[in-house]
Amino acid sequence: MKVSAPFKNAIQSYLEQRAEYDELFARSYRNPLKNIEDCITYILNEVQKSGFSGFDDDEVFSMAVHYYDEADIEIAKPIECKVVVNHHVELTEEEKAQARKEAVKRAESEAYIRMTKRKTTPKKENINNGQMTLLF
């Protein structure tokens, strides 16, 4: 099973934060028999069993906590699925700088194309000089 990095990171980040302020959970979280991959497999199987396709963050996080809190928990088989994470992605300063460079380059390229298009398009001359013609 291959899970998207944002999904895995969101769950792992929540669990680590919770372990910082909840001593009881911190002991469960440090259990060497537990790992994030099995936790995610457990969550995906629980979601599939429920029959629902949308969950609140707290519901998913509570499933993750439940996985770590229970000593004997059935994980089930890995599931191939697509998970959508609706969290704001924070870019690093390097990523922001690269995005700016690409945006400027794209804007310059588009402006250049517009300018060259105007120069190469010949103006149509009015052959009639304002006079009407009757052609049959």
Side-chain angles (χ1 to χ4, degrees), residues 27-111:
R27 284 188 230 133
S28 300
Y29 185 62
R30 286 190 294 261
N31 182 346
L33 300 175
K34 304 281 184 160
N35 60 66
I36 191 67
E37 285 79 19
D38 287 347
C39 177
I40 290 170
T41 300
Y42 171 76
I43 292 169
L44 295 177
N45 278 287
E46 289 299 304
V47 167
Q48 187 178 41
K49 284 182 204 174
S50 76
F52 296 110
S53 57
F55 286 83
D56 186 62
D57 290 353
D58 290 337
E59 292 173 301
V60 175
F61 295 146
S62 70
M63 286 184 242
V65 169
H66 181 72
Y67 162 79
Y68 279 96
D69 281 343
E70 295 298 317
D72 295 324
I73 194 162
E74 185 179 327
I75 298 168
K77 296 178 187 175
I79 297 175
E80 289 297 322
C81 63
K82 183 176 182 179
V83 178
V84 178
V85 179
N86 63 346
H87 288 278
H88 175 71
V89 177
E90 195 64 39
L91 298 176
T92 64
E93 290 304 317
E94 293 85 22
E95 291 170 327
K96 289 177 186 178
Q98 183 64 31
R100 280 188 205 102
K101 281 182 186 177
E102 290 172 6
V104 168
K105 189 182 285 187
R106 207 172 27 252
E108 288 172 347
S109 176
E110 290 170 2

Side-chain angles (χ1 to χ4, degrees), residues 125-136:
E125 294 181 26
N126 192 351
I127 300 171
N128 299 335
N129 294 331
Q131 295 182 352
M132 294 181 67
T133 60
L134 298 173
L135 298 175
F136 293 98

